[in-house]
Amino acid sequence: RVVAEVAHDNDIELEGACGGELACSTCHLVLPEAWFEKVAEHCSVSEEEEDMLDLAWGLTDTSRLGCQITVTEELDGIELLIPDED
């Protein structure tokens, strides 16, 4: 399972227009740097994800797409920020 699926299952407002097909950036998240590095150890940023992130509003150096972060025990307690477009 990925973060975007877990968010949807728990009624957290994280869009995901493409259904996890890596065809949009609507599940864009910002991670604290320590978590960003820990996530990268388990699932690195692909070129396709980088291309989609380039389209994301509020892009940061620690941005990831929720559909690309696989949930593992090592990520228990992860902190994520959903950028506000307002």
Side-chain angles (χ1 to χ4, degrees):
R1 298 186 35 100
V2 295
V3 168
E5 292 171 334
V6 173
H8 296 156
D9 290 349
N10 289 282
D11 298 320
I12 295 171
E13 289 190 40
L14 178 65
E15 218 175 312
C18 72
E21 296 295 319
L22 199 51
C24 71
S25 62
T26 59
C27 64
H28 170 224
L29 300 167
V30 176
L31 288 68
E33 188 153 341
W35 280 110
F36 180 82
E37 292 170 8
K38 191 164 193 157
V39 167
E41 292 173 10
H42 301 287
C43 46
S44 60
V45 182
S46 68
E47 188 174 326
E48 292 85 2
E49 182 178 2
E50 286 180 353
D51 289 345
M52 286 297 107
L53 282 169
D54 285 341
L55 305 174
W57 184 91
L59 183 65
T60 73
D61 290 340
T62 61
S63 290
R64 290 294 304 264
L65 296 180
C67 67
Q68 299 301 301
I69 302 172
T70 302
V71 177
T72 64
E73 286 185 27
E74 293 81 15
L75 299 184
D76 186 34
I78 192 170
E79 299 173 19
L80 305 164
L81 172 67
I82 301 171
D84 187 2
E85 293 188 33
D86 294 336

